[in-house]
Amino acid sequence: MHYVISDIHGCYDEYRRALEEISFSDDDILYVLGDCIDRGYASVRVLQDMMYRPNVIPIVGNHEFMALSVLKELCVEITEKNAGTYLTVESMEKYMEWMQNGGSGTVREFRVLSMDDKLELLDYLGDFSLYEETQVGGRRFLLVHGGLEPFREGMTVEDFSAAQILFSRADYNKVYFRDVYTITGHTPTFEEPGNPGVVIKRNNHIAIDCGCVFGGKLAVYCMETDREIYVPYSGSSTG
């Protein structure tokens, strides 16, 4: 089976329960639509679990995008030669933006890793795809973290910048592609008026961020069956 999950945001227990609920095996494929990290309690543990599963395909989210350059700087040895240039206004701005978006817990987890583990994690984050395209059960799918806005008729995913793909929010009232289902995360579905925080399926959109870290649910969508399972936020961690 082919599954899709998004916006785990460090909710490790919920992520592992979701894998148990779908009986995830070596014969299955799981696409992760970014924002594995930040805000939750175990971002590094989520990444490390994903990293050692060859059948998990990671797609970058805006939180990984913000984190990557900052975490790289945490691996730089400060010497007398670079002390004066190590921190720049740009790097401080990137750091502050990430902290304002829930990155502090990820930094704390990252700091206690060995240098080898830090570099391995950075290599893994650097290999995340910007998007994925696949065909399952006769249906075509485009998997991206955010939206494709501003979208106009005739555009393809290649027409969008990385920032648009990662940070824009999908417009579920538009049909992006008539022969392709676009699966996105990024925007919690409880923000949709009248939606109780479940997966949205409309106009060839499938929106699966159900706001787990905000007290909602972690959704896993199955491409073959067009169905989803939900794991509610537990509000606790394994420590």
Side-chain angles (χ1 to χ4, degrees), residues 72-90:
K72 284 179 179 177
E73 293 192 0
L74 293 179
C75 293
V76 175
E77 181 182 359
I78 302 175
T79 65
E80 184 177 338
K81 184 176 181 179
N82 68 12
T85 58
Y86 173 67
L87 290 179
T88 65
V89 172
E90 182 182 8

Side-chain angles (χ1 to χ4, degrees), residues 12-222:
Y12 178 79
D13 292 345
E14 291 81 358
Y15 159 71
R16 289 302 301 266
R17 283 204 301 276
L19 297 185
E20 291 172 5
E21 287 286 337
I22 62 174
S23 299
F24 188 62
S25 74
D26 293 342
D27 295 324
D28 298 318
I29 298 291
L30 176 67
Y31 293 92
V32 182
L33 299 188
D35 284 7
C36 314
I37 63 172
D38 299 345
R39 296 199 169 111
Y41 52 84
S43 295
V44 168
R45 292 184 69 185
V46 170
L47 285 174
Q48 288 176 328
D49 184 276
M50 291 168 51
M51 183 166 54
Y52 296 118
R53 295 179 186 266
N55 54 338
V56 169
I57 300 175
I59 296 169
V60 67
N62 58 298
H63 281 262
E64 287 83 20
F65 179 83
M66 289 187 289
L68 193 55
S69 62
V70 175
L71 293 178
K72 284 179 179 177
E73 293 192 0
L74 293 179
C75 293
V76 175
E77 181 182 359
I78 302 175
T79 65
E80 184 177 338
K81 184 176 181 179
N82 68 12
T85 58
Y86 173 67
L87 290 179
T88 65
V89 172
E90 182 182 8
S91 64
M92 287 302 297
E93 287 176 346
K94 288 180 179 179
Y95 179 83
M96 291 305 298
E97 180 184 11
W98 187 32
M99 292 304 100
Q100 290 167 2
N101 284 277
S104 59
T106 307
V107 169
R108 286 194 298 271
E109 293 177 61
F110 187 78
R111 283 188 182 278
V112 301
L113 297 176
S114 69
M115 183 56 71
D116 286 344
D117 287 343
K118 287 177 181 177
L119 294 176
E120 184 180 31
L121 208 61
L122 288 176
D123 284 344
Y124 180 62
L125 284 168
D127 286 338
F128 280 27
S129 303
L130 184 58
Y131 63 89
E132 291 283 341
E133 296 175 285
T134 189
Q135 183 166 323
V136 177
R139 297 196 302 167
R140 294 172 60 198
F141 295 92
L142 170 66
L143 297 89
V144 299
H145 175 67
L148 297 176
E149 291 296 331
F151 181 86
R152 297 185 305 277
E153 187 73 27
M155 296 181 75
T156 70
V157 66
E158 289 83 6
D159 294 320
F160 294 90
S161 68
Q164 289 171 319
I165 288 173
L166 297 178
F167 290 91
S168 72
R169 300 190 181 276
D171 185 345
Y172 312 130
N173 295 314
K174 295 179 184 176
V175 177
Y176 285 172
F177 312 107
R178 299 192 181 279
D179 58 346
V180 177
Y181 291 88
T182 304
I183 308 181
T184 57
H186 189 49
T187 304
T189 58
F190 58 65
E191 293 183 5
E192 175 83 356
N195 186 288
V198 297
V199 168
I200 294 172
K201 299 175 185 177
R202 186 163 77 238
N203 291 327
N204 284 6
H205 289 279
I206 303 171
I208 65 170
D209 174 11
C210 295
C212 180
V213 77
F214 300 110
K217 298 175 281 288
L218 191 62
V220 186
Y221 175 76
C222 179

